Amino acid sequence: MTTALITGPTRSLGRVAALALAEHPQVRDVVLLGRAGTALDEVAEQVRRRGAQAHAIGCDLADLSDVRAAASTVRDLVEAGDVRPLVALIANAGFVSPDTRRASVDGHELTFAVNYLAHAQLIGDLTATLATSSRIVLLGSNTYYANFWRRLLKVPPAQWRDPIELAEPAAAEGHLGMTAYSDAKLAILYYAHELQRRVAAGVNVIVYEPGWMPGSALSRSAPPAVQAIGRALGRIPGVATPEKSGPLLASVAVDERWSDLRDGAFVVRDRVTEVQPMAQDRARERRLWEATAELLGR
């Protein structure tokens, strides 16, 4: 029996994935890392009802000291023998701030801080708690490049800059929140490739794209009218939903079917997909690793 950790387990994709983990025959313990409160307590209780042990750890991903404290709690659980070493670490939580002038507790642009920096901090702090054979699954997105549909919907692609610049809150209005989101998701791809080069041989790094999920919790910072449109689009047949993609995310993290994936393999819903050439750049990946260490004070 094994242990899986997931961030952002209280809503949407993360909640469905957490419950799918709880029902998996090989998973005994599910570590739930999310904002403290009723929603976290409720999903922990639902995990227990499905037969797994739930370990709810309150954590605000916009505060790196909170992330470090949560990681310390996980390490304590493993060292005390309360849970086995992690076989899966799912960096699921995501957030889009429409105003890139907003900063995290640590002074970083909020979208980049929550989607990327917090998870880089968490993973770095939990490397020693991973089982000999384990998986790190990062949440990716195809929004880093523009295709026909994203152009039609005016979803901006990434506008890559030095990571230190990406982490700086905007000085004035004008830098779109979704551009910051796309930048953060491109950073995740770069990070996954470099992380695989640096972790132990038995640790596999995978990036999972759940598919376009309009109306998901990720859009909760959008205006009510935009959220309503998203919910309507989410009813279109074939569009991804948390109910469809959540179990697939859990499967990528723990099922034998995906055991050979590594090197930041990009899984879109239920199939491995090649990333765009721009998403594989050794120089950018090395620079991101160096800048991340600087931003996290390592």
Side-chain angles (χ1 to χ4, degrees):
M1 300 295 282
T2 58
T3 303
L5 179 150
I6 184 168
T7 67
T10 61
R11 299 169 180 257
S12 192
L13 179 74
R15 178 182 174 279
V16 177
L19 298 182
L21 289 169
E23 295 175 341
H24 196 281
Q26 296 303 314
V27 176
R28 186 190 72 176
D29 295 277
V30 182
V31 180
L32 305 162
L33 200 155
R35 281 183 175 273
T38 302
L40 185 62
D41 295 338
E42 288 177 351
V43 74
E45 179 57 30
Q46 290 171 351
V47 164
R48 295 184 187 104
R49 289 177 183 172
R50 284 161 173 77
Q53 298 295 316
H55 307 268
I57 301 174
C59 178
D60 180 357
L61 292 176
D63 183 343
L64 290 174
S65 66
D66 227 28
V67 177
R68 295 183 190 106
S72 179
T73 299
V74 176
R75 290 196 302 269
D76 289 345
L77 286 171
V78 174
E79 290 170 7
D82 294 331
V83 302
R84 296 189 179 190
L86 306 179
V87 297
L89 192 165
I90 307 174
N92 162 75
F95 174 78
V96 179
S97 171
D99 185 351
T100 55
R101 294 170 297 178
R102 292 182 65 191
S104 69
V105 171
D106 306 279
H108 305 310
E109 192 280 317
L110 194 54
T111 297
F112 190 75
V114 172
N115 288 276
Y116 173 67
L117 286 175
H119 287 121
Q121 177 74 61
L122 182 70
I123 291 166
D125 287 350
L126 291 181
T127 300
T129 69
L130 295 172
T132 303
S133 178
S134 55
R135 298 175 210 173
I136 297 171
V137 183
L138 299 136
L139 259 288
S141 172
N142 273 321
T143 61
Y144 70 90
Y145 76 98
N147 64 5
F148 171 80
W149 291 108
R150 285 187 284 277
R151 288 191 188 97
L152 184 66
L153 294 168
K154 300 187 184 303
V155 177
Q159 295 179 11
W160 190 256
R161 296 167 286 151
D162 187 84
I164 300 297
E165 294 181 38
L166 292 175
E168 294 177 357
E173 279 188 283
H175 186 59
L176 296 174
M178 275 305 299
T179 302
Y181 179 76
S182 297
D183 287 333
K185 291 303 181 181
L186 182 54
I188 285 170
L189 285 167
Y190 290 150
Y191 173 73
H193 301 151
E194 191 66 23
L195 178 63
Q196 185 69 81
R197 298 180 191 114
R198 296 171 182 266
V199 292
V203 179
N204 290 354
V205 182
I206 305 166
V207 180
Y208 182 73
E209 150 73 278
W212 182 48
M213 292 191 296
S216 70
L218 190 62
S219 63
R220 61 185 177 271
S221 59
V226 174
Q227 294 186 43
I229 292 171
R231 287 192 293 272
L233 291 173
R235 291 191 286 270
I236 297 174
V239 171
T241 65
E243 290 71 27
K244 295 174 184 175
S245 295
L248 292 172
L249 171 57
S251 174
V252 166
V254 295
D255 281 342
E256 182 65 23
R257 171 188 175 187
W258 309 99
S259 62
D260 292 334
L261 294 186
R262 54 184 287 110
D263 299 323
F266 193 56
V267 181
V268 178
R269 297 177 74 168
D270 62 351
R271 62 187 178 89
V272 180
T273 304
E274 290 292 323
V275 296
Q276 298 296 305
M278 66 177 292
Q280 299 189 77
D281 187 313
R282 289 292 291 270
R284 287 183 174 183
E285 289 158 10
R286 285 193 298 270
R287 173 57 189 151
L288 176 64
W289 191 270
E290 295 165 357
T292 301
E294 181 179 342
L295 291 165
L296 299 180
R298 289 181 173 158

